Amino acid sequence: MLLQSRYEFPSAKVIRALLQHTHELSIHSDGMPSPLIAAVSELDLLTGRLVLEAEYAGQHIERYLGQGCVNLDIEAVKGQYLLEREAYSLSNVAAKLLKTDRAHYRFECQLPESVFIHEHRGAMRIPFILGMQARVNLEVYPHQLSIDGRVRNLSVGGCLVDTRLTDCLALSVDQEIPGVTLEFPNGESFFAEGCVRHIRPFGHHGHAAIGVQFVRLSAAQSEALFRYVTEAEHEAGYRTGANDKMDYHSTLFIAGAKEKKIQQREALERDKRSRQTPMEKGVLDVSHHMQVGLMYTKTHDAFPGEVLYDCVDTLRYLIELDRKALMFALACLRDEPEWVRHAVQAACQLADMLLTRDPYDPQIREAMLGTLIHDMGKPLLVGPQLPSLKVHMNPVQKEILRGHVSALRQRLMELDWSPSPVCQEIIDNANERLDGSGYPKGKRGDQLSELIRLLSVIKAVNKLTHGRNGIPPRTPLDAYRMIYEADRAYDKTILVEYIQAYGLYPIGSLAKFSGGFLAWIMDIDGKGMPTQVQVVKNLRFPDTNMHTVMGKEDMPQIGKLEGVVHPREYGIELKS
């Protein structure tokens, strides 16, 4: 058996190790806005033969096969809560495409004999596999914005950074990075300048892959980098069994005290996320697809309409499946980018109210699409003058941001994509007000349709009940009062309709009770009063979390309802 293992393909052994856990395999291509999910039907360790099967109903399956090769991402989740993520990426794997049924395809792949990849410049790229880890920090704008991630491969020319989709907002291809810091588990670090060479989605769990090239290396930096690459090569060879001479772990990958503390914090975060419901995971998936849509809008030459329409159809399906569960799940977007959270929540409420009025309204789909992409112009404006949408903006930055509608329209023209009339109306007018105080054109009264009047109320309530630019969030009651007193800016009849639909204590809000308990509101009655809550904290024991669901008959145990509070006032970052 020892003799036989000598001839096993190391890349096949890595794939086999990942397949033993809950996993997803996807095929990605620069020419396609979304990866193709595939399943492994055959894996031969001795020959390196890998056979994948996939369902695809579109017309361009051949675009996933470039010059007879495919690019693969494999994500495995493991651990107690199946939230510890490990990933492996292979590029330019030789493959043949066969059609076996009307929408069923088969990719017959030949894996490379080595896990090490020779780059065009002659360097060798070392994948970080089978538990190998190193952290990376990209200083995008000095003292203003930095991005954290993990190294997925390393060479003397650069590295592949695995980071959250939400953190890629300010990056573009060919952008210079003033600081790239690699930190290995034992505490050793490497610093250099860099340049972004490519950005793409990585798998299906809200991650992105950023290809970074090291630039302007000094002799000392080159020498240090060569040592780290050599150590990584030995470690990868040891873990795959490809290097018989290596019989111990490199000290680079032995966790020190700092790394162990970081891992403990990450375990706590995974514990919080382990309690997400299928509905919450569905909403997060839409959020991630929205960010993939933004990525392709910024970096590619075609508008990712298929991805964004899929977001629309998914949200409508979730509304019709269980609207109250969806309204509760929308609060899980609290840690997503502000523009995504606002867009998804507003689109869901718009569809919810339109469906209540007329479930057969033909404009719902296009209205939802317009609402989802209306705020996409904001991240398109991120740059040196506006390094982040999270900063407390000065007057100049606020004025820059007001140009997001024009920025989006300009980009859609460049991509040669024309929205439908309903979608275009929302893109252009979602920020207009009846009294002319809105933007970009200050339209008034009859110039705004019933659809825009409805959306303006929904967006206004959402903005007021969520903190932004240093302004604390308001309670729903205060938000309603401000909108009502805003002279003639909003349609008061629609405001009343909104209050009747969602009440003073909307589903998904965090409520405080007189007994010192905090609870998420899960359901309300016809009068807008909570009938079911999820208790998450007893303020007498602030360091302890709770996860107890109570119905109306049990709620007196936690006291009388005092009002709606903001989660971050009490250190609650995640709804679950």
Side-chain angles (χ1 to χ4, degrees), residues 43-58:
L43 176 64
D44 192 319
L45 298 180
L46 299 179
T47 65
R49 174 181 166 84
L50 172 68
V51 178
L52 307 175
E53 296 185 359
E55 297 285 338
Y56 183 76

Side-chain angles (χ1 to χ4, degrees), residues 180-401:
V180 180
T181 303
L182 309 184
E183 186 165 343
F184 294 91
N186 72 338
E188 290 190 49
S189 63
F190 170 78
F191 177 85
E193 296 177 67
C195 182
V196 176
R197 290 309 181 199
H198 64 81
I199 308 174
R200 65 170 179 83
F202 194 164
H204 297 274
H205 294 278
H207 287 253
I210 306 170
V212 177
Q213 178 186 356
F214 300 130
V215 297
R216 292 183 284 276
L217 293 175
S218 66
Q221 287 175 314
S222 297
E223 183 179 351
L225 181 58
F226 181 79
R227 182 173 72 85
Y228 293 135
V229 171
T230 301
E231 287 288 309
E233 179 184 358
H234 290 168
E235 182 71 12
Y238 168 67
R239 296 196 183 207
T240 59
N243 189 341
D244 296 333
K245 297 179 181 179
M246 189 73 175
D247 58 358
Y248 63 92
H249 284 292
S250 166
T251 57
L252 278 182
F253 298 95
I254 299 175
K258 180 180 178 180
E259 175 66 19
K260 289 179 179 178
K261 288 182 180 179
I262 295 175
Q263 292 176 359
Q264 289 174 353
R265 288 199 302 268
E266 291 176 341
L268 291 175
E269 289 300 312
R270 289 195 295 267
D271 178 63
K272 292 179 182 179
R273 295 184 182 275
S274 69
R275 282 176 282 273
Q276 288 175 346
T277 66
M279 183 70 79
E280 291 168 353
K281 292 176 181 177
V283 169
L284 280 173
D285 282 344
V286 170
S287 166
H288 296 155
H289 280 96
M290 285 282 294
Q291 293 168 71
V292 169
L294 169 66
M295 181 183 295
Y296 272 84
T297 299
K298 288 182 63 176
T299 62
H300 287 64
D301 296 327
F303 183 72
E306 182 180 342
V307 172
L308 296 171
Y309 271 114
D310 184 62
C311 292
V312 169
D313 296 337
T314 299
L315 291 176
R316 178 160 181 174
Y317 168 77
L318 295 178
I319 292 171
E320 295 174 343
L321 179 67
D322 189 338
R323 67 172 292 272
K324 289 187 175 181
L326 174 61
M327 295 304 158
F328 181 64
L330 288 174
C332 75
L333 296 176
R334 197 173 303 278
D335 292 330
E336 296 301 300
E338 176 69 14
W339 71 272
V340 172
R341 178 204 59 74
H342 179 69
V344 173
Q345 291 177 347
C348 285
Q349 287 191 324
L350 177 65
D352 182 46
M353 295 187 71
L354 289 175
L355 287 168
T356 300
R357 291 179 175 184
D358 178 6
Y360 303 104
D361 187 343
Q363 67 180 350
I364 293 177
R365 190 171 191 246
E366 292 299 324
M368 290 180 70
L369 179 65
T371 305
L372 284 180
I373 68 176
H374 166 77
D375 284 325
M376 195 177 285
K378 294 180 179 179
L380 291 177
L381 292 170
V382 170
Q385 291 183 303
L386 184 63
S388 172
L389 298 180
K390 297 179 181 180
V391 298
H392 291 181
M393 298 181 193
N394 58 41
V396 173
Q397 292 172 329
K398 290 180 181 179
E399 190 60 33
I400 292 174
L401 196 62

Side-chain angles (χ1 to χ4, degrees), residues 347-517:
C348 285
Q349 287 191 324
L350 177 65
D352 182 46
M353 295 187 71
L354 289 175
L355 287 168
T356 300
R357 291 179 175 184
D358 178 6
Y360 303 104
D361 187 343
Q363 67 180 350
I364 293 177
R365 190 171 191 246
E366 292 299 324
M368 290 180 70
L369 179 65
T371 305
L372 284 180
I373 68 176
H374 166 77
D375 284 325
M376 195 177 285
K378 294 180 179 179
L380 291 177
L381 292 170
V382 170
Q385 291 183 303
L386 184 63
S388 172
L389 298 180
K390 297 179 181 180
V391 298
H392 291 181
M393 298 181 193
N394 58 41
V396 173
Q397 292 172 329
K398 290 180 181 179
E399 190 60 33
I400 292 174
L401 196 62
R402 286 173 67 90
H404 71 87
V405 175
S406 297
L408 177 60
R409 292 199 64 177
Q410 177 63 33
R411 186 56 183 156
L412 295 181
M413 289 177 60
E414 293 170 354
L415 298 178
D416 195 26
W417 187 77
S418 299
S420 69
V422 172
C423 181
Q424 186 71 69
E425 179 186 17
I426 288 185
I427 292 174
D428 291 344
N429 300 322
N431 290 323
E432 301 287 1
R433 302 290 177 263
L434 292 175
D435 63 354
S437 62
Y439 67 92
K441 295 185 177 180
K443 295 182 179 180
R444 292 176 173 270
D446 293 340
Q447 293 179 292
L448 303 179
S449 67
E450 174 71 11
L451 184 61
I452 295 300
R453 295 175 185 223
L454 172 59
L455 181 58
S456 66
V457 170
I458 291 172
K459 287 173 68 69
V461 174
N462 194 278
K463 288 178 181 178
L464 289 171
T465 52
H466 292 82
R468 58 172 56 196
N469 201 31
I471 301 175
R474 298 182 180 273
T475 66
L477 180 59
D478 287 341
Y480 299 155
R481 184 181 293 113
M482 287 189 66
I483 294 172
Y484 185 84
E485 294 174 351
D487 198 18
R488 300 179 181 179
Y490 303 95
D491 190 319
K492 294 181 180 179
T493 302
I494 291 178
L495 175 61
V496 172
E497 180 186 359
Y498 182 97
I499 296 173
Q500 290 174 340
Y502 302 109
L504 301 179
Y505 309 101
I507 293 173
S509 300
L510 185 66
K512 184 179 180 182
F513 290 82
S514 60
F517 292 88

Side-chain angles (χ1 to χ4, degrees), residues 510-512 516 518 537 539 542 545 562 564-573:
L510 185 66
K512 184 179 180 182
L518 300 178
K537 192 172 287 290
L539 295 178
N545 294 323
E562 292 186 344
V564 171
V565 297
H566 194 263
R568 286 196 173 92
E569 293 179 12
Y570 297 91
I572 299 177
E573 298 294 325

